[in-house]
Amino acid sequence: MNSINEICSKNKEGINAHARIVFSFAAIFIFLILATASIFINPFIARTNLRNGDVALRDVYAPYDFFYTWGKNEKKTAEVIDKAVENVPYFFKRDTQLEEKIYRKFEIFFNALSKQNYLSVDNIALNTPEDNSGFPKVAEFEPLRLINSFGLNIDNYEYMSLRHSTEILKDAVFSTLSKLFTDGIIDETSRKLLNEEKDDYVVIFSDMETTAPRLSESLIDFSLVDEKIKMHVKEYFEEEDEEFINAIAGFIQSGVSSNVIADKERTSEEEKKIIDNIEPIYNVWEVKKNELILQKGSRINERHLAEIYEITELVKRGKTKNFLEGMLLLFVLLGMVLWIYMAFTYKVNVLNNTRDIVIILTNIFFVLLVADIIIQTPLPSYSIPFAGSGMIIMLLLGFGPAFVVSVIMGILVAVLIGGTVSLVIVFLSGAVVGIYALRNARRRADILWAGIFAGLIQFLAVITVGLINDINFAVYFSDAFWGFLGGVSSAAIVMAGLPLFEYIFKIPTNISLVELSDLNHPLLKRLAMEAPGTYHHSIMVGNLAEAASDSIGANSLLVRVGAYYHDIGKINKPQYYSENEMGEGSKHAGLTPSMSALIIGKHVKDGVDIAQKYKLNTTIIDFIKQHHGDSLISYFYQKAKEEAKEDLIPDEETFRYMGPRPQIKETAIVLLADSIEASSRTLIEPSVANVRNLVKKIINNKLIDGQLDSCDLTLKEIDKISESFIKVLMAIFHTRATYPDESKKAETQKTENNGKNKFRKFK
């Protein structure tokens, strides 16, 4: 039976451990997402707090040297625009209709020339009517006059040079015209315009295409077009003489004209596009550290806003991919530090402590969120209630985690604000003092005093930083005041948030324990009224357990409160327990041992039910569950063995408490104190030797029975606990002078007790 229960218990523990690890990873993942998102809060929150025309409520000094831009620099902006405009090419429109007309003129001419080139000069006559082409109609006329009629002016010699090469001439003419039109022929007015504008580049465009910018020198002046024509003609007639080349060049030149026209409107449009894309050049102003930026009572203008905005931007981190990656890596590095600390402190898998992980991450996230909001407002960074989270962790988890987390949060906040060491010094000083001030906190007022102490230390720390950095007195004194308010506001946050943490995570703090230790608590008053013997027993157990706890450095307040409530299950049937008999005799006299054991053992389950009804913390409920462990109800077991027949041995498991065994030192101390206090009342001669023997015997029995196996008490600690029990019991059973009549009374009482004690040895 035992082995099956142990196997089931181990399987359940394994499943629970796996679930806790999963929840821990989920909590860490959610924290990373939320913490990173908190850094990227809208950066314009701060700018909405101050507006143009508002009245300044306080002086604002520059916290460091910086530069800012304000006011357009007209001269530099104009220089940039002029330089940009100089690089804009001048646009020329290509007259494709004119080019087509010139091509057609030469085409018609060559068609006519091919029909009439055999006629002599005397046989040609000119007919003036025009056909639909717009050129003179050709009948019978002299070829030279035909040429002249098309506006192609050459003399007889040149004509005679052309007669023998009509087809070659046609190819040369059209090729030359194509090259000329592609290069672009400009008139004298366009060239003069280019010189005035000092444009080195031009762009030629038409309805079909736009060329890339090219040197304006590549355009052909009309006055120099004959040279270009001769150059192109020579490519066709390399072996001809100069006169022949000149004749053809003159023939082509007589038919061409400029084909590109300067488009001033298009050029202006392109310049405007460039100008519109140019960012204005602003004046750069320098501000020195401690310089008065804004005077109290003055009107805020745009320049003030520019200066203040620059300060807020300097302390903001960039919203870039690199910054995001850096922050995530910083979270990982600081998380590793926290992981190592917790691994050494708890000496188990850190991820099994899901509750502690969630508490720590929640507090870190809260500080990051508040810090990111405050640094985007006009409030100084020292007003951040930094110490609050450390104080909450101190009350919930202890000094060690609170200190380590405060260091980690200090680094994170400093990086978020601007990486200043002075900020870490101020925040960490206040947090450590606030944590230390709460080491023995028993009242809500202690939290307020801890916040005041933290604020005072932050006040002094800011002044220290101001003196070291030689900051203006008014500046650092104002910041120091805000640092003090940051400490006080931390206390307010702790008082508001602590009950929420206690409720959600079921952790009793010293403050809530003090409230539970009040003997006017409804449940304790009920215990005193309905089971006065058990009430007195619980108070005595509390005294014993508290002293034992102090001797080994355990949580003595938790132990005392746990002892007060450990036996509340006896309220349901108080008369069945020896301390509540009140001389009426034992209720177990007519019951079987198994029934008596069932009633005695049931007070553990009844206690859990009552505690849950009164909404006691789960930690206190653990004292109720574990204050007997799974120990044997030995009196009724022995009685059952005596009454049983020889072949029927009673099952030991039915005479054991439901358990579990104590899991922590505090519950183990209450288990020992409970047994020792109950047994000590049976001592007739409470001498030091008798008390010592009793204590040693009970503790040894519990060790042998394995009731202390599940907690981390050491033998050295058990020895200290034993000595503390002896001291307290001897103080209770202190000796005094015995009077004659009391001696007789004591002897009579001894005789009576010998008959009654047989029912006083069970719990």
Side-chain angles (χ1 to χ4, degrees):
M1 183 71 177
N2 246 347
S3 60
I4 294 175
N5 289 336
E6 288 177 3
I7 293 172
C8 293
S9 177
K10 288 181 180 179
N11 289 337
K12 186 176 180 181
E13 288 178 3
I15 294 172
N16 291 338
H18 179 73
R20 286 196 296 269
I21 292 174
V22 172
F23 283 131
S24 296
F25 271 119
I28 294 170
F29 180 73
I30 292 172
F31 166 77
L32 289 175
I33 294 176
L34 294 178
T36 306
S38 71
I39 300 172
F40 292 84
I41 292 177
N42 188 347
F44 297 103
I45 292 177
R47 301 193 70 184
T48 60
N49 294 330
L50 296 176
R51 295 179 176 85
N52 189 20
D54 288 350
V55 176
L57 300 179
R58 62 186 178 90
D59 293 336
V60 178
Y61 293 86
Y64 33 67
D65 298 343
F66 68 90
F67 293 89
Y68 73 99
T69 57
W70 181 81
K72 185 178 178 181
N73 191 317
E74 299 291 347
K75 182 180 178 181
K76 290 187 177 180
T77 302
E79 290 175 357
V80 173
I81 291 175
D82 291 342
K83 188 173 182 180
V85 169
E86 285 179 4
N87 295 326
V88 177
Y90 210 94
F91 282 75
F92 281 79
K93 185 174 182 180
R94 186 170 174 176
D95 192 346
T96 54
Q97 292 183 351
L98 175 63
E99 294 173 8
E100 183 64 28
K101 191 173 182 180
I102 293 173
Y103 279 126
R104 193 171 183 187
K105 182 191 295 186
F106 278 98
E107 181 69 32
I108 293 173
F109 165 72
F110 279 110
N111 288 339
L113 183 62
S114 64
K115 297 177 182 178
Q116 301 296 331
N117 60 8
Y118 62 89
L119 298 176
S120 64
V121 175
D122 296 334
N123 295 330
I124 301 300
L126 183 64
N127 191 0
T128 56
E130 297 181 351
D131 60 12
N132 293 333
S133 67
F135 295 100
K137 185 176 181 180
V138 179
E140 292 180 352
F141 57 94
E142 178 187 327
L144 186 57
R145 293 186 64 189
L146 171 66
I147 294 173
N148 292 334
S149 70
F150 282 90
L152 306 173
N153 300 316
I154 58 175
D155 55 23
N156 289 331
Y157 175 77
E158 291 172 338
Y159 168 70
M160 295 304 293
S161 300
L162 301 177
R163 290 180 60 193
H164 70 284
S165 55
T166 302
E167 292 300 324
I168 297 176
L169 175 63
K170 182 177 179 180
D171 290 340
V173 168
F174 279 96
S175 175
T176 300
L177 289 175
S178 176
K179 292 177 181 179
L180 293 174
F181 292 153
T182 301
D183 290 342
I185 304 171
I186 62 172
D187 55 19
E188 184 178 351
T189 303
S190 296
R191 177 59 70 182
K192 184 177 181 181
L193 180 62
L194 281 175
N195 293 335
E196 291 175 353
E197 298 289 341
K198 297 181 180 180
D199 280 305
D200 295 329
Y201 292 89
V202 295
V203 170
I204 298 176
F205 71 95
S206 64
D207 295 336
M208 301 298 294
E209 64 175 347
T210 300
T211 66
R214 67 187 193 186
L215 290 172
S216 58
E217 296 175 355
S218 63
L219 294 175
I220 305 170
D221 290 356
F222 188 76
S223 59
L224 303 175
V225 72
D226 59 328
E227 295 180 5
K228 283 284 185 181
I229 294 174
K230 289 178 182 179
M231 183 183 69
H232 292 310
V233 170
K234 284 182 180 180
E235 295 176 359
Y236 276 84
F237 304 103
E238 295 178 355
E239 298 179 357
E240 298 290 344
D241 57 20
E242 192 70 24
E243 292 182 356
F244 179 78
I245 298 298
N246 290 336
I248 297 176
F251 169 63
I252 297 173
Q253 184 180 6
S254 65
V256 299
S257 60
S258 58
N259 69 315
V260 291
I261 305 169
D263 192 331
K264 191 171 184 179
E265 183 178 349
R266 173 72 181 275
T267 304
S268 298
E269 289 178 359
E270 295 297 327
E271 289 177 351
K272 187 175 182 304
K273 289 180 182 178
I274 297 297
I275 293 172
D276 290 342
N277 291 327
I278 294 175
E279 292 289 336
I281 305 299
Y282 293 96
N283 294 312
V284 179
W285 305 89
E286 182 182 11
V287 176
K288 301 299 289 183
K289 185 177 181 179
N290 298 326
E291 181 178 338
L292 180 63
I293 295 176
L294 184 59
Q295 188 173 10
K296 181 179 179 180
S298 62
R299 288 272 185 174
I300 298 173
N301 56 37
E302 291 292 342
R303 187 166 184 175
H304 293 143
L305 291 176
E307 292 173 328
I308 294 173
Y309 179 72
E310 186 64 26
I311 293 174
T312 59
E313 285 300 300
L314 283 174
V315 299
K316 286 295 296 176
R317 284 293 162 264
K319 307 300 185 290
T320 63
K321 179 174 178 289
N322 289 339
F323 175 71
L324 174 62
E325 293 173 350
M327 286 303 299
L328 288 175
L329 184 58
L330 179 62
F331 284 135
V332 171
L333 293 176
L334 295 179
M336 179 184 68
V337 173
L338 183 60
W339 183 292
I340 292 173
Y341 168 79
M342 293 182 69
F344 272 94
T345 302
Y346 292 94
K347 300 187 183 303
V348 292
N349 187 349
V350 174
L351 294 175
N352 281 329
N353 296 285
T354 304
R355 183 194 66 180
D356 294 359
I357 290 174
V358 173
I359 290 173
I360 290 172
L361 295 182
T362 301
N363 280 277
I364 293 176
F365 172 71
F366 173 77
V367 170
L368 290 178
L369 183 62
V370 173
D372 199 61
I373 292 173
I374 288 180
I375 64 176
Q376 295 178 83
T377 68
L379 294 175
S381 301
Y382 297 116
S383 63
I384 297 172
F386 180 87
S389 292
M391 291 161 66
I392 288 178
I393 295 175
M394 167 65 191
L395 292 170
L396 296 175
L397 304 180
F399 180 83
F403 179 81
V404 174
V405 171
S406 295
V407 173
I408 291 174
M409 289 191 302
I411 296 173
L412 284 175
V413 172
V415 171
L416 179 66
I417 293 177
T420 56
V421 177
S422 60
L423 204 62
V424 179
I425 295 173
V426 172
F427 283 155
L428 195 56
S429 300
V432 171
V433 169
I435 291 169
Y436 181 76
L438 289 175
R439 67 193 185 283
N440 294 318
R442 299 291 180 96
R443 299 172 301 162
R444 302 281 172 186
D446 293 336
I447 298 176
L448 178 60
W449 282 110
I452 292 174
F453 290 143
L456 289 173
I457 293 300
Q458 290 189 173
F459 182 90
L460 294 176
V462 174
I463 290 179
T464 302
V465 171
L467 292 173
I468 293 173
N469 294 325
D470 197 21
I471 300 175
N472 182 279
F473 172 79
V475 176
Y476 69 68
F477 187 83
S478 175
D479 285 346
F481 175 74
W482 283 104
F484 173 76
L485 289 184
V488 175
S489 62
S490 295
I493 290 173
V494 173
M495 285 190 285
L498 186 61
L500 185 63
F501 276 95
E502 288 179 307
Y503 177 78
I504 294 175
F505 297 102
K506 308 300 181 185
I507 299 178
T509 62
N510 284 355
I511 295 170
S512 61
L513 288 175
V514 168
E515 294 171 353
L516 287 174
S517 68
D518 185 359
L519 298 180
N520 287 316
H521 188 281
L523 187 52
L524 292 180
K525 290 180 71 174
R526 183 183 169 191
L527 182 65
M529 295 296 295
E530 299 181 24
T534 301
Y535 173 80
H536 180 265
H537 160 72
S538 298
I539 299 299
M540 297 303 295
V541 171
N543 293 335
L544 282 168
E546 185 176 33
S549 179
D550 286 334
S551 70
I552 64 170
N555 190 336
S556 58
L557 180 58
L558 175 62
V559 166
R560 172 176 282 277
V561 174
Y564 282 178
Y565 292 89
H566 79 284
D567 266 347
I568 58 172
K570 293 181 180 180
I571 290 176
N572 288 350
K573 289 183 173 63
Q575 66 275 20
Y576 283 87
Y577 302 91
S578 58
E579 67 267 20
N580 298 313
E581 289 177 2
M582 302 300 179
E584 297 178 0
S586 176
K587 291 285 186 179
H588 295 277
L591 300 177
T592 63
S594 60
M595 179 57 69
S596 295
L598 180 64
I599 294 172
I600 295 297
K602 193 173 181 294
H603 84 275
V604 174
K605 181 180 182 302
D606 291 342
V608 173
D609 294 338
I610 294 172
Q612 291 174 345
K613 180 181 178 181
Y614 279 81
K615 300 186 184 306
L616 295 187
N617 193 281
T618 54
T619 304
I620 305 303
I621 294 176
D622 286 341
F623 280 88
I624 299 173
K625 292 179 179 178
Q626 300 171 22
H627 79 276
H628 282 300
D630 58 358
S631 59
L632 185 66
I633 306 174
S634 57
Y635 176 81
F636 291 110
Y637 177 67
Q638 293 298 330
K639 187 177 180 182
K641 287 177 65 177
E642 292 172 1
E643 295 178 359
K645 297 179 180 180
E646 294 182 0
D647 56 338
L648 294 175
I649 300 175
D651 183 9
E652 186 177 303
E653 292 301 318
T654 61
F655 287 87
R656 285 190 176 273
Y657 287 98
M658 59 185 294
R661 295 173 180 176
Q663 303 296 303
I664 57 176
K665 294 179 181 180
E666 286 77 6
T667 53
I669 290 172
V670 170
L671 178 145
L672 296 174
D674 180 40
S675 297
I676 289 172
E677 197 283 329
S679 298
S680 68
R681 285 185 282 113
T682 64
L683 286 174
I684 299 181
E685 295 181 5
S687 63
V688 175
N690 289 340
V691 170
R692 183 178 297 277
N693 290 336
L694 175 69
V695 171
K696 295 292 185 182
K697 178 182 178 181
I698 292 175
I699 292 178
N700 286 336
N701 288 340
K702 297 299 181 184
L703 284 171
I704 293 170
D705 196 28
Q707 298 305 312
L708 305 181
D709 289 353
S710 298
C711 66
D712 55 351
L713 279 176
T714 63
L715 291 176
K716 185 176 182 180
E717 288 175 331
I718 292 174
D719 186 59
K720 290 181 179 179
I721 291 170
S722 173
E723 291 300 320
S724 70
F725 284 155
I726 295 170
K727 289 180 181 178
V728 174
L729 288 174
M730 290 310 303
I732 294 173
F733 299 121
H734 61 282
T735 58
R736 62 186 178 90
T738 303
Y739 297 96
D741 56 339
E742 288 186 347
S743 299
K744 294 179 180 180
K745 184 178 180 180
E747 189 66 30
T748 303
Q749 186 69 37
K750 179 178 179 181
T751 304
E752 292 177 355
N753 284 342
N754 288 335
K756 292 181 180 179
N757 280 343
K758 61 181 179 179
F759 288 112
R760 290 186 178 272
K761 295 182 180 179
F762 58 84
K763 277 285 296 168

